[in-house]
Amino acid sequence: MLDDAGEANSAYVEQVSQNGAPAAPIPPAGGSALNDITSRIDSDVLFGNVSPADGAAEWVAQMEQALASA
C-alpha cells in the first residue's frame, strides 16, 4: 500500500533496525563541558603543573559547577 518512496523508507528503517546501534545517551545539562575541563586539567597534571590529587579535586569542583550552572 506504500508508494515507491514509502517502500524505500520502510526498507531503510528495517535495515537500520537490524544493523544499527542505539544512539548515545544525551549528556546532562552542563555535561558538554566535560571534554574541555578534562583536557585542560589532564594537561596540567601531565606537565607537572598540578598534582594528580589536586587535579582530581579541581576536576570534580569544575564539573559540579558546570552541571549546577546549566
Side-chain angles (χ1 to χ4, degrees), residues 3-52:
D3 61 10
D4 289 343
E7 286 185 25
N9 287 335
S10 176
Y12 175 76
V13 169
E14 180 66 26
Q15 181 183 6
V16 169
S17 69
Q18 292 176 4
N19 301 316
I26 298 171
S32 62
L34 172 71
N35 289 339
D36 293 336
I37 293 169
T38 301
S39 179
R40 185 172 4 90
I41 294 175
D42 187 42
S43 293
D44 286 343
V45 171
L46 290 173
F47 287 107
N49 297 327
V50 66
S51 71

Side-chain angles (χ1 to χ4, degrees), residues 28-34 37 59-70:
S32 62
L34 172 71
I37 293 169
W59 184 88
V60 169
Q62 288 187 27
M63 283 305 301
E64 285 176 343
Q65 181 180 18
L67 293 171
S69 66

